[in-house]
Amino acid sequence: MNADNPIISIQNVHKFFGTFKALDDVSLTVDAGQKVVVIGPSGSGKSTLLRTINRLETISSGTIVVDGQDINAPSSDINLIRAEVGMVFQSFNLFRHKSVLDNLTLAPIKLKKEPRLEAERRAMELLEKVGMVDKAESYPVQLSGGQQQRVAIARALAMNPKIMLFDEPTSALDPEMIGEVLDVMVTLAREGMTMVVVTHEMGFAREVADSVVFMDEGKIVEIAPPNRFFDHPAHTRTQRFLEQIL
Amino acid sequence: MIDKRIVIDVGDGAAIPDPRDKGLFTAWRISFFGTLGIIAYLLIFKTDPYLDIIKFLPDGIVVTFKVTFASIGLALVLGLIAGLGRISKNTFFNLAASTYIEVVRGIPLLVQLFYIYFALGHLVRVPDMVAAIIAMGFCYGAYMGEVFRAGILSIDDGQTEASLSLGFNRSQAMRYVVLPQAWRTILPPVGNEFIALLKDTSLVSILAVSDILRRGREFASESFLYFETYTMIALVYLVITLILSKILSNVEHRLNHYERR
Ligand SMILES: Nc1ncnc2c1ncn2[C@@H]1O[C@H](COP(=O)(O)OP(=O)(O)OP(=O)(O)O)[C@@H](O)[C@H]1O
Ligand SMILES: [Mg+2]
């Protein structure tokens, strides 16, 4: 991988909510095609970090460069950058007033001016990929959590993003539905998608991650490949956290 | 976040009937068919003068509806702007909207009607009906603003965030995702406001607009049949508002339908 030219470069980022420091001098680079898993205790800043990458949170200081563009520079068009960065939320956030198919086609039709037929053809391909073709005409309320999350992944992919961000995509799911969502994510990873995933699914981290990031109190404590991270964590805080969750 | 406070909503519109109410004797049916029965009785057994009175009213009914629809249209536009203003982070826009709402809510509608009507008369020469519509729309727009604000805030932030993450800007997210969903929350109170507005258009009769009430007053002052005329006017208003509340409840029911499994 071309380490000189990372697709995401986060440098010395601080983020305050009022006087509370949610991110404390965070630096992280992600190369194209890399899969990074972020773990850490509740309130450690994992979501905040993820959300700064597509500027759902604006940072207080530091720089974030995504695909060559400083996303906080006045000259860059954040909407264009966001279209290249897909995001999957813990609570799915499917558009409740739209059918599954329309959830997938809304952004391509309105933003990329794709013809409806073309957008729908592509949407059906993506639904095929996540195993949701037979629910194309359903509404989100009619789907289980696992199904909604698979549709949400397909919706993000419909914009052909270069990067996918996942914020605890399986935390809101009943245990029996976690597997179907992880399977989709593993497939996506195999296809070479650049992924940053906040998750507590350690099996997924071991199987898919190129590196695992451990956060605590707004800081990145440790970054390591999964084998070393899980088997020989360098920091005592990481060790304690792993003991608690494994 | 869902606001868990209990809201006691005493609308000033007619009560909206619940379509699931399957009993034979519902309040709506008793009122509606009772009213029709009384009108029929009066027309058949007291043909003179009630037939003359009712024949005098249709022009007024048309005017009442024209004023109502035009005013509600204006109120919806102003309400949307005011509602967006109230949730805007732009200080100027936010303050302007809040001030508009505060001022309008603090002055009796009748006083506003007079005020806008005569103030407008000083500036431009507009037909009476247009002045009345502007005044009604301006006033109801403030109430609509609060309805829109509440409707928009009832939609989970996640919907906006998902839209933004796909590349929509804030106004596109509002237009394509938030408002179409907020509409379902907004519709019942808008329906109430609509009926309330229809009744309040009776106030424009003092502004030389020939609505139902003014037509009635004209008839009464020539015939001296005050009691009979106002009886018929009350019955006509009642029939109209009852029909409207029924239509609204059916529309609402249909919109809610897909939300259930
Ligand atoms: N909008 C906000 N306003 C104020 N404080 C916030 C806001 N968002 C997050 N925080 C605070 O910032 C800290 C980090 O939050 P964040 O959501 O990033 O944690 P997390 O690691 O994702 O936790 P979890 O595992 O519970 O999701 C928390 O203490 C949280 O209370
Ligand atoms: Mg989180």
Side-chain angles (χ1 to χ4, degrees), chain A residues 41-48 51 90 167-168 198 200:
Chain A
S42 181
S44 56
K46 307 181 295 294
S47 298
T48 306
R51 291 160 56 84
Q90 184 174 351
D167 192 359
E168 302 203 33
V198 176
H200 295 294

Short mmCIF file of all heavy atoms in Angstrom, two decimals, chain A residues 41-48 51 90 167-168 198 200, ligand 2:
data_model
loop_
_atom_site.label_atom_id
_atom_site.label_comp_id
_atom_site.label_asym_id
_atom_site.label_seq_id
_atom_site.Cartn_x
_atom_site.Cartn_y
_atom_site.Cartn_z
N PRO A 41 -13.48 1.99 25.66
CA PRO A 41 -14.64 2.06 26.54
C PRO A 41 -15.65 3.14 26.11
O PRO A 41 -15.31 4.01 25.32
CB PRO A 41 -14.03 2.39 27.91
CG PRO A 41 -12.65 2.87 27.64
CD PRO A 41 -12.23 2.31 26.33
N SER A 42 -16.84 3.04 26.67
CA SER A 42 -17.89 4.02 26.37
C SER A 42 -17.43 5.42 26.75
O SER A 42 -16.84 5.62 27.82
CB SER A 42 -19.15 3.65 27.15
OG SER A 42 -20.16 4.56 26.85
N GLY A 43 -17.66 6.38 25.86
CA GLY A 43 -17.28 7.77 26.15
C GLY A 43 -15.83 8.09 25.85
O GLY A 43 -15.37 9.18 26.14
N SER A 44 -15.12 7.13 25.21
CA SER A 44 -13.70 7.39 24.96
C SER A 44 -13.47 8.24 23.71
O SER A 44 -12.34 8.62 23.43
CB SER A 44 -12.96 6.05 24.83
OG SER A 44 -13.54 5.26 23.82
N GLY A 45 -14.53 8.52 22.95
CA GLY A 45 -14.38 9.39 21.79
C GLY A 45 -14.37 8.68 20.45
O GLY A 45 -14.07 9.29 19.42
N LYS A 46 -14.77 7.41 20.44
CA LYS A 46 -14.74 6.64 19.18
C LYS A 46 -15.70 7.24 18.15
O LYS A 46 -15.32 7.48 16.99
CB LYS A 46 -15.14 5.17 19.44
CG LYS A 46 -14.33 4.50 20.54
CD LYS A 46 -14.73 3.06 20.75
CE LYS A 46 -16.15 2.86 21.26
NZ LYS A 46 -16.39 3.39 22.62
N SER A 47 -16.94 7.46 18.57
CA SER A 47 -17.91 8.03 17.63
C SER A 47 -17.49 9.41 17.19
O SER A 47 -17.58 9.77 16.02
CB SER A 47 -19.29 8.12 18.28
OG SER A 47 -19.76 6.85 18.62
N THR A 48 -17.02 10.19 18.16
CA THR A 48 -16.60 11.55 17.83
C THR A 48 -15.50 11.53 16.77
O THR A 48 -15.56 12.27 15.79
CB THR A 48 -16.11 12.27 19.10
OG1 THR A 48 -17.13 12.19 20.10
CG2 THR A 48 -15.80 13.73 18.82
N ARG A 51 -16.93 10.63 13.41
CA ARG A 51 -17.79 11.68 12.87
C ARG A 51 -17.01 12.92 12.44
O ARG A 51 -17.53 13.73 11.67
CB ARG A 51 -18.87 12.05 13.89
CG ARG A 51 -19.89 10.91 14.10
CD ARG A 51 -20.63 11.07 15.42
NE ARG A 51 -21.28 12.36 15.54
CZ ARG A 51 -22.48 12.62 15.03
NH1 ARG A 51 -23.16 11.68 14.41
NH2 ARG A 51 -23.01 13.80 15.16
N GLN A 90 -25.24 3.27 14.11
CA GLN A 90 -25.75 2.26 15.04
C GLN A 90 -27.28 2.11 14.91
O GLN A 90 -27.81 1.01 14.97
CB GLN A 90 -25.39 2.70 16.46
CG GLN A 90 -25.77 1.70 17.52
CD GLN A 90 -25.26 2.13 18.89
OE1 GLN A 90 -24.48 3.07 19.01
NE2 GLN A 90 -25.70 1.44 19.91
N ASP A 167 -20.22 3.05 12.61
CA ASP A 167 -20.24 3.35 14.03
C ASP A 167 -21.09 2.32 14.77
O ASP A 167 -22.30 2.41 14.80
CB ASP A 167 -20.79 4.76 14.28
CG ASP A 167 -20.55 5.21 15.72
OD1 ASP A 167 -20.00 4.42 16.51
OD2 ASP A 167 -20.93 6.35 16.05
N GLU A 168 -20.44 1.35 15.36
CA GLU A 168 -21.11 0.26 16.07
C GLU A 168 -22.33 -0.27 15.31
O GLU A 168 -23.44 -0.22 15.80
CB GLU A 168 -21.52 0.74 17.47
CG GLU A 168 -20.32 1.23 18.27
CD GLU A 168 -20.56 1.18 19.77
OE1 GLU A 168 -21.28 0.26 20.19
OE2 GLU A 168 -20.02 2.03 20.48
N VAL A 198 -15.97 1.24 14.09
CA VAL A 198 -16.05 1.20 15.55
C VAL A 198 -16.91 0.00 15.90
O VAL A 198 -18.05 -0.10 15.45
CB VAL A 198 -16.68 2.49 16.12
CG1 VAL A 198 -16.84 2.37 17.64
CG2 VAL A 198 -15.85 3.70 15.76
N HIS A 200 -17.45 -3.62 18.82
CA HIS A 200 -17.00 -4.47 19.92
C HIS A 200 -16.93 -5.93 19.48
O HIS A 200 -16.76 -6.82 20.30
CB HIS A 200 -17.91 -4.31 21.13
CG HIS A 200 -17.86 -2.95 21.73
ND1 HIS A 200 -16.73 -2.45 22.32
CD2 HIS A 200 -18.77 -1.94 21.77
CE1 HIS A 200 -16.95 -1.22 22.73
NE2 HIS A 200 -18.17 -0.87 22.40
MG MG C 2 -20.22 5.82 20.13
#
